Amino acid sequence: MKRTPFHDRERETDEIMKILDAEPSLITFIYGPINSGKTTMISHLIEELSDEYVVFYINLRTKFLLSYDEFIESLFEMEMETDGASRKRNETLAELVSSVTKVAGIPINKEFLDYVFKDNKPKNAFSYIIQLFEEVRASGKHPVLILDELQKIGDVKVNGFLIYELFNFFIDLTKEKHLAHIFVATSDSLFLEQIYSEAMLSGRCRYLLVDDFDYETTIAFLESYGFSDDEKKLAWHHCGGKPICLVELANAEEKDEKMREFLGVRTGQIEGLIEDAREFGYKISYGEEEIVLNEEHIRRSLDKFKNKDHLKASELSKPVKLGLIKANILFLDPVKQILKPQSQLELLAIREVISDA
Ligand SMILES: Nc1ncnc2c1ncn2[C@@H]1O[C@H](COP(=O)(O)OP(=O)(O)O)[C@@H](O)[C@H]1O
Ligand SMILES: [Mg+2]
């Protein structure tokens, strides 16, 4: 399997470089629909960054996170125990800082870890991180902390919700201490909407949208894969600028067939959801509440996409909005207050389903 070369993210990358150039003062939320290329852009940026920056990157996507301990374990990277004389243990913070490799978690050794876990207090973990970052600064470099898929800790509690403790800590690192650059990436638009309306974060963060490729970028991408004009048209019609879809298509022998297959799968999933709603009611939990949607609710909402590719967030009632976002059919941009299908394929699938009614 050949590795997909990274394709242009100039505008977004420039914006991040500008942020990195200035003194840290705000938390940056990188958001966008599922599979729009957020993680890929971040990984690429880390590779390209000069070693003036020390990057700590933690992706929570594959982590199992139900408790505070599990979160702490995923944050820190325990130094490898090497036997005997083969390698000297990193005893001090300065040694730990010098051991940092690209795209790794926050380094820690046994002694510091005991301290961090003591009393189950986030305060200990945070004070360790501050000391480590200060050490990075003392070495003449800039610490950058990136947390990918942070919504995964949304439900973890230590006294109150951990996420609030964490945001307070991030505000301390940026706005108060100007010590480190903080980036948080997420595809979860409900999580983001909560953040957006969170008073404690108001004026303390900025939002950077990493959306599917625009038309020009998509066409340039397809050209680099030798698509003919007809194939380009077909690809844009089906995949829009969704990178993952375009990559799959580029690797497919029978592009027509592949696109029909993609569309068939998505259409089937939406039909499945509607069938569930008809037979049992489609249930979603919202805080303590349980909301039940019926077929009519869903169809009536999807109908609005017959002639539009996006809606104002206020055009759907809260329960339907929640249901369709949780089912990964719709994406909510809380900054622009618009709702749109997660992808062009999703939009086409929605239109197939509503035209069958
Ligand atoms: N800039 C890009 N150039 C080439 N391929 C990309 C690019 N961005 C994303 N992709 C492809 O799309 C897939 C999904 O992107 P990813 O970064 O995981 O999305 P997200 O983190 O936004 O959910 C990647 O595995 C990669 O194959
Ligand atoms: Mg990702």
Side-chain angles (χ1 to χ4, degrees):
M1 181 81 201
K2 62 175 184 251
R3 193 162 175 253
T4 316
F6 180 76
H7 194 77
D8 176 43
R9 276 292 181 186
E10 225 170 285
R11 185 186 61 78
E12 295 86 346
T13 312
D14 283 355
E15 207 159 319
I16 294 182
M17 289 314 297
K18 257 188 238 143
I19 294 171
L20 289 173
D21 238 4
E23 184 180 61
S25 61
L26 297 172
I27 305 165
T28 306
F29 286 96
I30 298 177
Y31 76 104
I34 298 167
N35 287 322
S36 67
K38 296 176 288 300
T39 301
T40 306
M41 181 198 71
I42 291 167
S43 314
H44 183 76
L45 189 90
I46 295 172
E47 278 172 36
E48 302 276 290
L49 266 187
S50 78
D51 56 9
E52 186 191 337
Y53 298 95
V54 180
V55 181
F56 304 93
Y57 172 79
I58 295 128
N59 192 339
L60 301 176
R61 191 174 63 87
T62 56
K63 302 283 162 81
F64 189 71
L65 291 171
L66 290 174
S67 68
Y68 171 65
D69 282 9
E70 281 161 352
F71 171 64
I72 292 297
E73 276 166 27
S74 63
L75 213 51
F76 294 108
E77 194 124 315
M78 206 26 204
E79 239 214 310
M80 290 299 222
E81 294 286 344
T82 44
D83 35 20
S86 59
R87 207 185 107 192
K88 186 177 161 300
R89 296 258 320 269
N90 290 314
E91 304 284 354
T92 65
L93 281 175
E95 283 166 351
L96 278 169
V97 164
S98 68
S99 76
V100 172
T101 49
K102 283 197 166 174
V103 196
I106 298 169
I108 196 159
N109 63 21
K110 180 78 177 56
E111 286 88 322
F112 288 122
L113 199 66
D114 287 345
Y115 166 70
V116 159
F117 271 110
K118 200 174 57 156
D119 314 326
N120 235 359
K121 285 208 185 100
K123 218 174 72 198
N124 295 355
F126 298 162
S127 93
Y128 171 73
I129 295 173
I130 288 177
Q131 287 176 53
L132 189 80
F133 285 179
E134 276 168 351
E135 196 61 47
V136 172
R137 285 288 281 268
S139 72
K141 297 182 177 188
H142 307 286
V144 181
L145 177 62
I146 307 173
L147 284 160
D148 205 340
E149 305 289 0
L150 185 66
Q151 76 283 350
K152 288 208 60 181
I153 67 151
D155 295 332
V156 178
K157 284 188 179 165
V158 260
N159 301 321
F161 282 109
L162 173 62
I163 194 90
Y164 292 108
E165 302 257 0
L166 202 60
F167 285 146
N168 259 323
F169 175 53
F170 290 166
I171 292 167
D172 191 41
L173 284 173
T174 51
K175 192 171 187 285
E176 306 299 330
K177 293 196 168 63
H178 307 288
L179 180 57
H181 292 283
I182 309 286
F183 294 89
V184 172
T186 183
S187 294
D188 185 323
S189 37
L190 293 178
F191 174 72
L192 207 80
E193 197 193 22
Q194 263 177 326
I195 288 171
Y196 197 69
S197 54
E198 175 56 57
M200 115 192 216
L201 284 170
S202 134
R204 291 161 173 173
C205 55
R206 64 166 82 77
Y207 297 88
L208 178 67
L209 175 64
V210 175
D211 210 341
D212 296 345
F213 295 153
D214 60 19
Y215 178 75
E216 284 73 31
T217 310
T218 304
I219 296 303
F221 179 89
L222 296 172
E223 253 154 31
S224 73
Y225 279 92
F227 277 50
S228 70
D229 283 349
D230 281 349
E231 286 172 335
K232 276 187 246 170
K233 249 188 230 150
L234 214 60
W236 175 251
H237 176 68
H238 281 84
C239 296
K242 184 70 80 191
I244 198 167
C245 185
L246 300 170
V247 170
E248 284 283 322
L249 213 53
N251 291 326
E253 294 286 337
E254 296 292 335
K255 302 196 191 315
D256 261 0
E257 198 181 307
K258 191 86 199 167
M259 282 184 277
R260 267 197 302 279
E261 182 192 313
F262 279 158
L263 186 56
V265 170
R266 284 315 290 154
T267 308
Q269 283 166 340
I270 300 176
E271 278 167 349
L273 182 98
I274 292 180
E275 191 184 356
D276 273 4
R278 179 166 59 237
E279 301 294 332
F280 318 108
Y282 172 60
K283 301 184 187 69
I284 33 170
S285 51
Y286 181 59
E288 309 283 287
E289 307 275 320
E290 185 174 78
I291 300 169
V292 184
L293 299 177
N294 62 29
E295 176 174 10
E296 180 60 17
H297 287 135
I298 298 179
R299 284 203 183 272
R300 228 182 315 129
S301 310
L302 294 181
D303 271 342
K304 295 186 194 274
F305 288 99
K306 193 171 174 185
N307 302 309
K308 290 188 198 172
D309 58 8
H310 68 271
L311 305 175
K312 276 193 235 146
S314 56
E315 281 180 76
L316 294 185
S317 71
K318 185 98 183 183
V320 184
K321 201 159 52 181
L322 284 173
L324 295 178
I325 293 172
K326 283 207 169 161
N328 278 341
I329 296 174
L330 299 185
F331 166 73
L332 167 73
D333 183 330
V335 181
K336 298 183 185 162
Q337 281 296 309
I338 62 166
L339 273 167
K340 62 179 187 174
Q342 284 282 357
S343 64
Q344 169 70 9
L345 206 56
E346 203 70 52
L347 176 64
L348 295 181
I350 291 172
R351 287 177 178 167
E352 290 259 311
V353 171
I354 58 180
S355 72
D356 289 347

